[in-house]
Amino acid sequence: LLTMRYRTMRAHGLPIGSGITESTCKTVVNKRAKGAGQRWTCPDLRGALHLRALNASDRFDAYWAVFARMRSSNINNCVEAA
């Protein structure tokens, strides 16, 4: 059983309420997924939200560097095999 240590979390300046999470859902998820006329499949929405969350947390550039490196090595392997 996990319990939250409210006093310790507060002392470290960490959030203990759900307001930040709810606000993030509103700005990251709802604005992207609930636009007028939008229809999403689960895999497509999952991918879009993943990229949006990376961007919102200022981690997109780091993620893209790793992603591009993986993809370019795959392409290079295919070119060498041909």
Side-chain angles (χ1 to χ4, degrees), residues 4-15:
M4 286 185 67
R5 294 178 294 268
Y6 291 101
R7 196 172 296 170
T8 303
M9 292 178 74
R10 274 296 211 203
H12 287 85
L14 298 171

Side-chain angles (χ1 to χ4, degrees), residues 17-30:
S18 64
I20 291 174
T21 303
E22 291 174 21
S23 175
T24 300
C25 285
K26 185 177 183 180
T27 58
V28 174
V29 178
N30 291 348

Side-chain angles (χ1 to χ4, degrees), residues 76-82:
N76 290 336
N77 290 339
C78 289
V79 169
E80 290 170 6

